[in-house]
Amino acid sequence: MNYAIILAAGKSERFNKKNKNLIVVNKKPIYKQVVEIFVKTKLFKQVLLVVSAEDKAFYTNIHFNNVRVVLGNPHNRQLSLASALKTISPKPTDIIVTHDCARPFVKPQLIRESVKCCTKHGYSTTMIPLADSICLRKNNKFIYKDRNELFLVQTPQSFQYKFWKKTKDNNSTDLFTFLKLPITNENVVKGSVSNYKITYKEDC
C-alpha cells in the first residue's frame, strides 16, 4: 500500500511570507496542481495534504475521495510529517512518499520511479548533479568545492514505514538526515531540473 504526503505547512519566509502554495501558476493554485498529479498516478491509497492551521480555510475545492487535508507544524518539517502519519495506519512495508508542495512541476514518471526504487531498496531519494560552481564560506573565506562530488536533493523522497523514527522535535529539513539512513547509488532516483522548488517570487 502506498501513501503520499504533500508538505505545505511551511511559512514561505523567503517568499515574502506570502503562502506560495496558494499562488496560481498555469491557471491553477500550486497545491491543486500537485495533488492532481499524485492522484492521477493511481498509485496511492490516500494523498495527505499537510497545511498550517492558519491557512487551512484556503485549501478548498479538492474533489478527490482519497485526498485529505491535515494539520501540520509550520515551523518544523518533520513534525508535520509525523502529524500526517498519525492520521493513517500503515503497515511496516507500506510506502510513504513525501513531496514538497512547492515543486508543482514534478512528473508522474518520477513519482513512479521513486516508488519503484523504494519498493526494491526500502527507501529512495531524488537528486540531480550540481551544474554551477559552489563555494563554502568559512571564517570569512570562500573555498571552492568540486561540483562533481555534489548533488542537489529534490523530492519525492520515499521510505517504507518500518524506517520511520518517532520524534518530538527535529529541525532537519531533509528526510534522510532526520531518519539517519545512509544513501547509496541504489537509493537515488535521477531527478530533473524542471522539478525545481519555488522559493522566491522570481521562481514563478
Side-chain angles (χ1 to χ4, degrees):
M1 201 74 71
N2 305 325
Y3 298 87
I5 298 178
I6 300 170
L7 297 162
K11 296 180 70 65
S12 300
E13 290 183 344
R14 290 171 292 183
F15 204 80
N16 291 338
K17 296 187 178 180
K18 178 180 178 181
N19 191 334
K20 59 191 175 186
N21 300 307
L22 298 173
I23 65 171
V24 175
V25 175
N26 296 333
K27 300 181 180 180
K28 194 175 293 186
I30 283 178
Y31 77 88
K32 188 173 289 188
Q33 290 188 54
V34 176
V35 166
E36 289 182 1
I37 291 168
F38 273 80
V39 169
K40 289 178 179 179
T41 65
K42 298 182 179 180
L43 291 172
F44 301 101
K45 179 180 179 180
Q46 289 190 52
V47 176
L48 305 178
L49 179 63
V50 188
V51 307
S52 67
E54 180 182 355
D55 291 334
K56 184 179 180 181
F58 296 106
Y59 292 90
T60 58
N61 299 321
I62 301 177
H63 303 299
F64 296 103
N65 292 332
N66 64 332
V67 176
R68 287 192 293 125
V69 176
V70 299
L71 296 182
N73 187 312
H75 306 288
N76 189 297
R77 181 184 182 87
Q78 306 313 333
L79 289 180
S80 283
L81 180 53
S83 295
L85 288 171
K86 288 177 182 177
T87 70
I88 57 178
S89 301
K91 297 178 181 178
T93 56
D94 284 349
I95 292 175
I96 312 297
V97 179
T98 69
H99 186 67
D100 299 323
C101 189
R103 295 183 189 271
F105 308 113
V106 62
K107 302 297 184 184
Q109 184 57 32
L110 180 56
I111 299 170
R112 294 188 187 98
E113 289 295 328
S114 182
V115 171
K116 181 179 178 181
C117 182
C118 184
T119 300
K120 185 174 181 180
H121 300 294
Y123 51 94
S124 63
T125 190
T126 304
M127 295 185 185
I128 59 172
L130 193 68
D132 297 327
S133 297
I134 191 168
C135 290
L136 174 68
R137 186 174 69 178
K138 190 173 183 179
N139 297 327
N140 207 32
K141 293 183 179 180
F142 291 88
I143 303 167
Y144 275 91
K145 308 299 290 186
D146 185 357
R147 67 183 177 192
N148 294 315
E149 297 179 352
L150 299 169
F151 290 79
L152 293 176
V153 179
Q154 300 182 332
T155 61
Q157 293 181 308
S158 306
F159 62 97
Q160 294 182 19
Y161 184 63
K162 61 187 175 185
F163 292 107
W164 174 249
K165 296 181 184 296
K166 295 179 175 58
T167 180
K168 291 185 178 180
D169 187 25
N170 188 286
N171 290 319
S172 171
T173 58
D174 181 76
L175 175 64
F176 293 110
T177 303
F178 165 67
L179 294 179
K180 295 181 173 61
L181 292 172
I183 300 297
T184 64
N185 287 338
E186 67 181 16
N187 302 110
V188 176
V189 174
K190 185 179 180 180
S192 169
V193 174
S194 65
N195 182 36
Y196 67 89
K197 185 177 181 180
I198 292 177
T199 304
Y200 305 101
K201 283 192 172 182
E202 293 79 8
D203 295 331
C204 300

